Amino acid sequence: MTTPRFRCTALRRSGATEVRIVQAVSADAARERLIAAGLEPDSIEALGPSLIDGLSGRDWKLRHYLPTFSMPRRPAMLAIGLLASMPFTVAVGSWSLATLAATQNERLANASASSRIGRPFLSDSARRDLAGRMSRRTVSEIAARLFAVLPQNASINGVSSDADGRLKIEIDTPDPDRLRIALAVDPLLTTLSEEGQLRTDDGAIRVTLRGAAM
Amino acid sequence: MLALYLSHIGLMRLDRERAALALARQGAQSESRPLTHLAGRGGAWREGSRDIAAGAIRLRLLEAAVDRRLLVERIAIEPAGQDATAAIIARVTVSGPEAAVVRYVADIERGRPLVRFADWQLRRSAAGDGTVRFDGHAASIWAGR
């Protein structure tokens, strides 16, 4: 609570007017203070509180100006409890789901095994393998192509195809150059590469050719 | 700490089991895929059981060899793997004159349902009597009825 202030106007002996602001509990007390100071007040007017008075009267602590939060005690405890129990929840959940998946897996395997009995079945790898075997060039096609271009004095010692379809052909001929020219006529046989030459007991030259998978 | 460790183990196990389940489901789907497209229309053997189909294949291989007057050294159906009961593989070894052996192979490969030779060799006889020996695996597809 601030002390009231008064604006007092006094007339000096010299004739000049003097204005003073006096803090006093009442107008009479202000008049008495001026008389005691040797002045004769003409008028005394009460003044309202000044800006500084207004500011000085406040409590300027920061906390009064910050927003305040208030959380109910029970939900807060509940949230903390939930967070703390999360690892347990995850552990129980993951183990339960894993057990469920294992059971489903076993059931599916049993059902699949029982359905295969007496029925045709191909796994993916077996299907790929069989598809490869069924789509290769036939033995008769390869033999027909060979016989079609083989020079008259040449003969086939052996033809084979491995599991991957790679060809190996052995041809006995007295003239390997003529054989090479003859094979170049066929687009399939021209892809074969010569692996080596070997002289046989009857004086012919055995030319070994190999080809990529077909 | 124990709970975190158990969570870690549980999540790892869940991941593993789910991967295995996805694989099993994929396998079950591939089981239901038709086999006939592997051999084309009329290319697969449609006998009621695998044994009957294997018998029919063996008979065809044998009859063709007898027709061409070839020496049958071996015509045997190989045992089926658990993962490929639809594949019937026969080991064939025959010998005879070159032209007859080549015609025999052509007869087998031309017929329906399909029989295809894989991993085979045609070799001149070491005796020098003009005969050749054919040895190979004849593959067929049994698709059931």
Side-chain angles (χ1 to χ4, degrees), chain A residues 87 112 121 123 140 155 159 161, chain B residues 7 31 83 85 109 120 122 124:
Chain A
S112 180
F121 168 73
S123 67
S140 44
S155 62
V159 187
S161 170
Chain B
S7 301
E31 238 172 270
D83 64 336
T85 53
E109 288 178 328
W120 53 268
L122 182 67
R124 191 187 294 162

Side-chain angles (χ1 to χ4, degrees), chain A residues 1 10 16 28 32 39 58 61-62 64 74 87 115 128 137 146 151 154-155 163 173 180-181 184 193-194 206 211 214:
Chain A
M1 188 75 182
D28 291 338
E32 282 172 14
L39 293 170
R58 283 175 181 254
K61 287 185 177 170
L62 185 63
H64 294 297
R74 191 170 289 175
S115 72
R128 277 194 295 274
R137 290 182 194 279
L146 262 177
S155 62
T173 177
R180 215 170 287 128
I181 293 165
S193 54
E194 194 175 311
R206 181 162 296 163
M214 48 185 85

Side-chain angles (χ1 to χ4, degrees), chain A residues 66-93:
Chain A
L66 289 174
T68 54
F69 299 101
S70 61
M71 187 177 271
R73 196 175 175 80
R74 191 170 289 175
M77 292 302 290
L78 193 66
I80 291 168
L82 272 175
L83 279 172
S85 67
M86 205 168 272
F88 294 98
T89 318
V90 172
V92 171

